[in-house]
Amino acid sequence: LFLRLGFVVGHAGLYQALAMFAVAYFIIGMTVLSVCAIATNGALDAGGAYYMISRALGPEFGGSIGIMFFLANVCGSALYVLGLVEAVVDSFGIPPGQEAGAGIHVLPQSYWYELLYGTVLLALCLLVCLVGASIYAKATFLIFLIVAVVLGTILVSFFATRPLEVPIRLSNGNGTETDSGSFTGFSLRTLRDNLGGKYEVDYTTGQMMSFSSVFAVMFNGCTGIMAGSNMSGDLKRPSYSIPRGTISAVLFTYLVYNLLAFLMCATCNRTLLQKDYGFLRDISIFPPLVTVGIYAATLSAAMSNLIGASRILYALARDDLFGRALALAKKTSASGNPVMAVILSWLVVQVVLFSGKLNTIASVVTTFFLLVYATVNLACLALEWASAPNFRPTFRYFTWHTCLLGIAGCCVMMFLISPVSASASLGFLLLLLLALHYLSPSSTWGYISQALIFHQVRKYLLMLDVRKDHVKFWRPQMLLMVQNPRGSARLIDFVNDLKKSGLYVLGHVELQDLDMLPSDPLQPQQESWLSLVDKLNVKAFVSLTLAPSVRHGVRQLLFTSGLGGMRPNTLVLGFYDDEAPQDGLARHPAFTSAREELPLGFPPLRAPTAPKLLSAREYVGIVADALKMLRNVLLARQLESLDKAWELRRAASPPPTIHVWPVNLLRPDSARYADTCSLFLLQMACVLNMARAWRRARLRLFLCVEAGTMPHAQEEKLRQLLKDLRIQAQIQLVPWDAITRLHWQTCQGCPGGPAEEEEEEEGVVNFPTNTAQVSDEYVCAANKLVLEQSPAPTVRFLYLPRPPADTSLYPLYLHQLELLTRGLGPTVLVHGVSAVTSTQL
């Protein structure tokens, strides 16, 4: 107000100065509305804008903006100290060109002397701040009275002082330069001369001024409106005081700036305004009072910024976002004053004082403040857009439009003032964001990102119309049933590779009756499952349910898992056999490399002699239920023996392979390579091969042929199919006459043989007699055929036949699957019921 308003008007002229005030106060006004909204939405603590942003946007944004706001207040404090030094030197400094002073002009002028004066004045601010904010708050009212009296004196001086010439002595490289400015009193000619802009060299820095550089200096005189929010922890009723005090300050200062700008343009010529920043003292009816006002205002602003910086630093330290780096700033005095934060802030301000001149750091300070204001508006905008029911501030004079306008105004002016400073500040902010995202501990403040994500996901889920599904855009959406994750860690990881950016749900059935329990037993388990998902680094949801049996629980999950167009279309089960479960979780790299003990509350694995939770008949019934519900089914056997990291990264040649058998080995009389199930099996093998970890693997497709069936024609037909489906795979012909002969020998004389059923449509009608017709000898031979294909693959995909319609044959069906896959290593049995491949563009 006292030191730089004449500078602004002298360079920019009245029109541009009023435009600057309008732009600055538009930005500040929009920000104040956001501050008031957040301040009245709940209890405030120490930290001001940092506290608001961190509790609204989460620790990453809050911590990074907290550091930026701390730097803004530190630089602001240094800026006001340098302004005070300038005023002191102007009043008591030895005039340029003289070796010795006379009268009160006794202070030497040089860079180092001015740095010394700044250090002494900053030490005075430090002493006041160490005593406590309460002393400063009491002194603030006295300072306000002094400034108000001085301001009244200045207004009277514009009318009472007669026209006069003011001598101006400026230093240059070769000595001193003498000029004179004129106070003309109210003059229409003077007003007309000062209407337009006339940018010249700033005599304190020697730099050419422009609209953006003058705006940067001017804007620093408007940043005090955040002083009240910075002291939110020291206010008795911050949600009451901040809106009223801040809005009153904005309106009052805006009117004063505009009035003074008009009076200056009407009474002072441009030379006086541009070359004598202390001219208000020269034209005052009582000059010493103006000097006191300048000292009081600048000293108050310097202390305000120093206290604000210390409170922000203390809040950052107390929140433990930066760990031990800010541990020292937590220490407080017996009265609660954060003395170490004040001292640390003082040290940083002392470093900034080395910049030397007020105008030098003005653009940096303005950039920092604009960035903070933009983020305050962003916090309010995010809260408004998230439509959270608990965001209901008592201050209602804001909308998302005001927040958006505030953000746009801040960003535009930030880059207009200094593109370099703006880009550097944003880059530094981004680095802090990333560092806090990966290094800071989780908080309980709540993350606005979660509310925004929920809002958007709900909207897009409603737009995801299942009636518009097309086979071209099909993707696997998995429901993996897990009894105990300790025995399924590698299977969970494998299915994560198999989902191809689709939905992935980990399902678990707890065999209990809620009527017999005092509370839901699944809620305490939810945290363990979510921690498991995080530790294994899989992109999966968790769905737990209570049921009287596993089969009923799986039905529930198949019916209810997912939402809208995101529902599981594929059920994945572990294989039902007599092998003792192994604790793969304890050996998993995600847990063996962790320093802390396993925090997961999963029970120990079932003992080999303990009874199973479901019978063989119930297991096959789950498969039959899934197929009736038009869900694809995958049965995974011995996946816990798959060491993916070793298999896929070993440097040995040849590269790892994936064996694919797209023929129903348990139904040789109806073997086809182009039915729905075979194509689904091919698709799943291809999807696995597309996963990043499996790209080195090679697909090997086995074509079972019999003598006299033109194997090369079949091979060419299959090759053309693979080409149409864009699947790269090596085709290998496998003669299986000896194996099919075993099957025909078994079938001879059986009524209702396969010849009567070949015309029935696969996938709709079961083959009730086929299970009984396939002998164990044939299944063992088929198993041997698969096992003999070398080199041994990393994983095998086999065709899973439909369960028989006769439920009494379920145990025999499962026994044949066990014989077929015995000793094969990691194997996936696949049955598909939906078309998933497309040859169209």
Side-chain angles (χ1 to χ4, degrees):
L1 175 65
F2 297 118
L3 292 176
R4 286 299 183 269
L5 192 54
F7 159 84
V8 172
V9 174
H11 285 281
L14 180 61
Y15 291 153
Q16 293 189 34
L18 295 179
M20 288 182 185
F21 295 144
V23 171
Y25 276 87
F26 173 79
I27 293 172
I28 291 169
M30 298 300 102
T31 305
V32 165
L33 295 181
S34 298
V35 168
C36 294
I38 299 175
T40 59
N41 189 52
L44 276 181
D45 206 341
Y50 157 71
Y51 187 87
M52 297 178 193
I53 295 169
S54 61
R55 270 49 179 185
L57 298 184
E60 295 95 340
F61 251 106
S64 53
I65 286 297
I67 291 294
M68 303 299 285
F69 201 25
F70 167 74
L71 293 176
N73 279 275
V74 160
C75 293
S77 180
L79 180 139
Y80 288 117
V81 169
L82 291 173
L84 181 55
V85 169
E86 185 180 298
V88 169
V89 169
D90 195 38
S91 300
F92 302 104
I94 299 173
Q98 296 183 11
E99 295 183 359
I104 62 173
H105 299 283
V106 295
L107 297 179
Q109 295 190 48
S110 71
Y111 170 79
W112 293 106
Y113 274 113
E114 292 178 5
L115 179 62
L116 175 62
Y117 305 150
T119 302
V120 172
L121 294 171
L122 182 61
L124 177 63
C125 296
L126 173 66
L127 289 176
V128 175
C129 294
L130 286 176
V131 172
S134 59
I135 299 297
Y136 164 74
K138 293 175 182 177
T140 300
F141 183 71
L142 178 62
I143 292 172
F144 170 75
L145 292 179
I146 294 173
V147 172
V149 171
V150 173
L151 185 59
T153 304
I154 290 174
L155 292 174
V156 172
S157 298
F158 281 111
F159 295 91
T161 303
R162 294 181 178 181
L164 57 86
E165 293 290 321
V166 179
I168 301 171
R169 300 187 66 179
L170 303 173
S171 62
N172 54 33
N174 301 321
T176 60
E177 175 186 338
T178 303
D179 203 345
S180 66
S182 300
F183 176 77
T184 64
F186 285 95
S187 169
L188 187 59
R189 180 178 178 182
T190 304
L191 178 61
R192 192 180 296 116
D193 291 341
N194 289 330
L195 289 178
K198 187 179 179 183
Y199 296 99
E200 293 186 1
V201 175
D202 171 32
Y203 73 85
T204 63
T205 62
Q207 298 177 353
M208 186 66 187
M209 293 293 99
S210 63
F211 181 91
S212 59
S213 58
V214 172
F215 180 86
V217 175
M218 183 276 301
F219 192 81
N220 286 286
C222 310
T223 56
I225 55 103
M226 294 293 281
S229 64
N230 287 345
M231 297 180 64
S232 54
D234 301 299
L235 298 173
K236 291 183 180 179
R237 297 171 62 192
S239 60
Y240 175 86
S241 303
I242 288 176
R244 287 161 178 79
T246 306
I247 293 175
S248 301
V250 169
L251 295 175
F252 179 74
T253 54
Y254 181 66
L255 292 174
V256 169
Y257 281 162
N258 281 274
L259 177 60
L260 285 177
F262 174 77
L263 293 175
M264 288 176 182
C265 285
T267 58
C268 304
N269 73 350
R270 198 175 292 270
T271 302
L272 181 63
L273 295 172
Q274 287 185 343
K275 297 186 178 180
D276 186 4
Y277 297 158
F279 75 97
L280 289 176
R281 182 178 55 250
D282 299 325
I283 68 171
S284 174
I285 57 175
F286 189 56
L289 191 59
V290 176
T291 302
V292 171
I294 292 174
Y295 294 170
T298 49
L299 196 62
S300 170
M303 286 190 293
S304 172
N305 280 270
L306 182 59
I307 286 179
S310 65
R311 296 308 187 265
I312 294 166
L313 189 63
Y314 171 66
L316 283 166
R318 196 175 59 177
D319 287 339
D320 277 329
L321 296 183
F322 294 89
R324 296 180 181 178
L326 296 180
L328 193 63
K330 293 182 183 179
K331 297 184 178 179
T332 62
S333 64
S335 61
N337 186 31
V339 290
M340 290 309 302
V342 172
I343 293 173
L344 291 173
S345 303
W346 165 75
L347 288 173
V348 181
V349 175
Q350 183 63 56
V351 172
V352 180
L353 285 180
F354 281 92
S355 61
K357 293 295 180 182
L358 183 153
N359 289 7
T360 305
I361 60 172
S363 63
V364 176
V365 178
T366 300
T367 300
F368 281 154
F369 272 110
L370 284 171
L371 189 59
V372 172
Y373 291 173
T375 316
V376 171
N377 284 299
L378 178 64
C380 190
L381 178 68
L383 289 169
E384 179 70 8
W385 274 357
S387 300
N390 284 322
F391 182 63
R392 42 180 185 269
T394 56
F395 182 88
R396 296 300 304 166
Y397 302 102
F398 77 100
T399 67
W400 66 267
H401 303 87
T402 61
C403 302
L404 209 56
L405 288 172
I407 295 171
C410 289
C411 294
V412 170
M413 292 313 302
M414 195 164 57
F415 279 94
L416 280 179
I417 290 169
S418 176
V420 175
S421 297
S423 301
S425 300
L426 288 173
F428 183 54
L429 176 66
L430 183 60
L431 287 176
L432 288 172
L433 273 171
L434 294 174
L436 288 172
H437 179 72
Y438 290 106
L439 301 178
S440 70
S442 59
S443 72
T444 58
W445 307 338
Y447 294 80
I448 191 65
S449 58
Q450 296 297 304
L452 290 172
I453 290 170
F454 176 88
H455 188 267
Q456 292 301 107
V457 167
R458 182 191 65 85
K459 182 172 72 175
Y460 286 117
L461 272 175
L462 290 172
M463 296 170 61
L464 191 60
D465 191 346
V466 294
R467 294 167 296 183
K468 297 179 181 178
D469 282 347
H470 194 278
V471 66
K472 289 189 297 185
F473 307 113
W474 178 91
R475 65 182 71 239
Q477 305 200 77
M478 304 292 197
L479 171 62
L480 170 63
M481 297 306 304
V482 180
Q483 177 185 341
N484 190 332
R486 293 189 181 278
S488 309
R490 287 179 174 171
L491 176 58
I492 294 171
D493 187 53
F494 176 80
V495 178
N496 186 62
D497 291 335
L498 204 57
K499 72 181 187 306
K500 186 55 181 173
S501 303
L503 178 67
Y504 183 17
V505 180
L506 297 180
H508 173 71
V509 179
E510 193 78 17
L511 298 182
Q512 296 191 53
D513 186 358
L514 191 59
D515 290 338
M516 307 300 294
L517 298 171
S519 61
D520 181 8
L522 299 179
Q523 292 299 325
Q525 298 183 28
Q526 191 79 16
E527 184 64 30
S528 295
W529 283 87
L530 294 176
S531 299
L532 173 77
V533 169
D534 293 338
K535 283 282 188 180
L536 294 180
N537 195 27
V538 295
K539 297 176 181 178
F541 297 96
V542 174
S543 187
L544 312 179
T545 189
L546 286 176
S549 69
V550 176
R551 186 173 182 181
H552 281 86
V554 175
R555 282 179 184 171
Q556 290 177 20
L557 293 177
L558 283 173
F559 277 125
T560 61
S561 292
L563 201 62
M566 294 187 66
R567 292 186 178 276
N569 56 27
T570 303
L571 175 67
V572 186
L573 302 171
F575 197 76
Y576 190 94
D577 54 26
D578 295 325
E579 293 185 13
Q582 301 294 324
D583 192 345
L585 204 59
R587 303 191 306 270
H588 196 279
F591 295 91
T592 55
S593 61
R595 295 179 182 176
E596 70 274 6
E597 295 183 2
L598 301 184
L600 305 179
F602 298 116
L605 290 170
R606 174 182 60 84
T609 56
K612 296 181 180 181
L613 294 180
L614 75 165
S615 64
R617 179 168 299 190
E618 187 179 7
Y619 177 83
V620 179
I622 292 173
V623 176
D625 290 343
L627 295 178
K628 290 176 184 177
M629 298 165 67
L630 298 181
R631 303 298 203 276
N632 311 297
V633 176
L634 274 62
L635 305 183
R637 185 174 191 185
Q638 294 186 355
L639 261 297
E640 288 304 303
S641 66
L642 173 62
D643 189 346
K644 186 177 72 173
W646 182 84
E647 287 284 352
L648 299 180
R649 295 175 187 172
R650 56 192 172 97
S653 185
T657 57
I658 300 171
H659 284 191
V660 183
W661 295 79
V663 64
N664 188 351
L665 294 175
L666 296 184
R667 176 80 180 184
D669 50 331
S670 64
R672 295 200 301 267
Y673 288 92
D675 66 357
T676 300
C677 186
S678 296
L679 293 176
F680 180 80
L681 189 151
L682 278 173
Q683 180 82 324
M684 296 310 298
C686 181
V687 165
L688 180 66
N689 194 209
M690 293 168 70
R692 179 178 299 177
W694 292 83
R695 285 176 185 168
R696 284 190 62 244
R698 298 290 181 265
L699 290 181
R700 292 184 67 191
L701 190 61
F702 293 92
L703 177 61
C704 297
V705 295
E706 298 181 58
T709 57
M710 296 186 293
H712 294 293
Q714 294 184 38
E715 179 183 5
E716 189 58 34
K717 185 178 179 181
L718 182 58
R719 196 179 303 280
Q720 184 60 43
L721 176 65
L722 294 177
K723 182 179 179 181
D724 292 340
L725 297 176
R726 290 90 61 204
I727 297 176
Q728 295 183 359
Q730 174 191 352
I731 299 176
Q732 182 170 333
L733 301 180
V734 179
W736 71 330
D737 298 79
I739 298 166
T740 55
R741 192 176 303 117
L742 293 173
H743 174 68
W744 298 121
Q745 290 174 357
T746 306
C747 292
Q748 285 178 359
C750 293
E756 299 177 14
E757 298 167 355
E758 279 187 353
E759 296 180 1
E760 301 287 356
E761 184 179 354
E762 172 72 14
V764 177
V765 178
N766 293 305
F767 297 91
T769 59
N770 187 59
T771 302
Q773 292 172 354
V774 176
S775 65
D776 287 356
E777 183 183 10
Y778 165 78
V779 177
C780 290
N783 168 264
K784 184 178 179 182
L785 176 71
V786 174
L787 194 59
E788 286 175 347
Q789 308 307 314
S790 60
T794 303
V795 66
R796 291 180 171 90
F797 282 85
L798 301 184
Y799 190 116
L800 174 67
R802 292 179 69 92
D806 186 355
T807 58
S808 64
L809 296 178
Y810 281 0
L812 179 59
Y813 168 81
L814 186 59
H815 170 69
Q816 291 175 351
L817 293 181
E818 194 280 327
L819 287 179
L820 180 64
T821 57
R822 182 179 294 177
L824 294 184
T827 304
V828 181
L829 291 160
V830 180
H831 191 99
V833 297
S834 55
V836 297
T837 56
S838 174
T839 59
Q840 299 177 355
L841 183 63

